[in-house]
Amino acid sequence: QVFELCKQLNLPETLARIEKDYPAKPFKSDGVSCAPDRMEGIDLYPAAFRHDLQYWAGQPKSDREEHRLKLLADARLMVDVLEAGGSHYLADAMFGAVRIGGAAFWHAPWSWGFGRR
């Protein structure tokens, strides 16, 4: 099912990494972590779900490639929020929150690489 989700959500890099090395923990999404899934009258769950899938598949190590992939996932979240109709303030705030709060070194249930810890 996760493979099909990656295809539907157009996540070829995520699909390639889980085909090569499937995370130990099953995939789960908590939506917008530590915040409501609905803000500014917009359903942000679809954007958060896509972001969660990318974070789940990440490797919780600090190297150039992981930083690149996390940045791309975070930037895509920002774009998805804008495309859902969110303001640039909301998109910027969410981008800032995941850049800092989603770092692997926090070891939080929503941190980069949470499927591999």
Side-chain angles (χ1 to χ4, degrees), residues 50-108:
R50 177 187 180 127
H51 191 251
D52 285 349
L53 187 53
Q54 292 172 289
Y55 264 49
W56 168 77
Q59 292 283 352
K61 56 186 175 183
S62 183
D63 66 21
R64 185 177 180 91
E65 180 63 5
E66 291 307 308
H67 289 291
R68 181 186 78 82
L69 291 171
K70 182 180 180 306
L71 177 60
L72 289 172
D74 295 345
R76 183 70 233 178
L77 174 66
M78 182 173 58
V79 170
D80 286 348
V81 169
L82 288 169
E83 288 179 348
S87 69
H88 72 277
Y89 298 110
L90 178 59
D92 286 345
M94 289 185 72
F95 178 76
V98 295
R99 292 304 300 151
I100 296 167
F105 67 79
W106 294 118
H107 300 282

Side-chain angles (χ1 to χ4, degrees), residues 7-23:
K7 290 175 188 172
Q8 289 173 9
L9 296 172
N10 192 27
L11 297 172
E13 284 187 279
T14 303
L15 177 60
R17 47 185 8 197
I18 63 173
E19 285 177 332
K20 182 179 176 186
D21 181 20
Y22 199 87

